Amino acid sequence: DGPPRFGLTVTRKVGNAVIRNRIRRRLREAVRLTADGHAMDGHDYVLVGRAEALDENFSVLTAEVARVLDRVSRFGANPVHSDKRRPGRK
């Protein structure tokens, strides 16, 4: 139990360190603003930052983070393949 925990990752494919850190900061702030009402206590969340997060309007980014957190809390992680291996893998 305890508060929800968040991990943020942005791969090197997205850009240099300055770009990756800007994306992480934007995501971290979006999580800070939305987590109280949408994230479940005692759960760990990992957000993978994409290049689009850098140019997206911040209110749209925040709404998207809230939508994803709501979806995960309702359906669980990856509801389509929760008991199977990921498609395309052997």
Side-chain angles (χ1 to χ4, degrees):
D1 286 333
R5 299 185 309 175
F6 291 89
L8 302 170
T9 184
V10 182
T11 67
R12 287 177 34 187
K13 293 178 184 180
V14 173
N16 63 24
V18 173
I19 300 295
R20 293 192 314 265
N21 286 331
R22 286 184 62 204
I23 292 171
R24 258 191 299 274
R25 283 193 303 269
R26 285 176 59 92
L27 287 174
R28 193 177 302 122
E29 182 64 12
V31 166
R32 186 186 71 80
L33 293 173
T34 60
D36 287 338
H38 302 281
M40 299 183 333
D41 287 341
H43 286 75
D44 295 339
Y45 299 88
V46 177
L47 282 75
V48 179
R50 302 285 183 222
E52 294 82 14
L54 186 61
D55 298 325
E56 188 67 64
N57 184 322
F58 188 72
S59 61
V60 173
L61 181 67
T62 304
E64 184 68 14
V65 169
R67 185 188 69 77
V68 169
L69 291 176
D70 282 340
R71 180 181 168 97
V72 169
S73 66
R74 279 197 317 266
F75 300 114
N78 200 5
V80 177
H81 305 287
S82 61
D83 58 343
K84 300 183 219 170
R85 295 182 72 162
R86 288 179 30 196
R89 290 211 159 167
K90 295 185 179 193

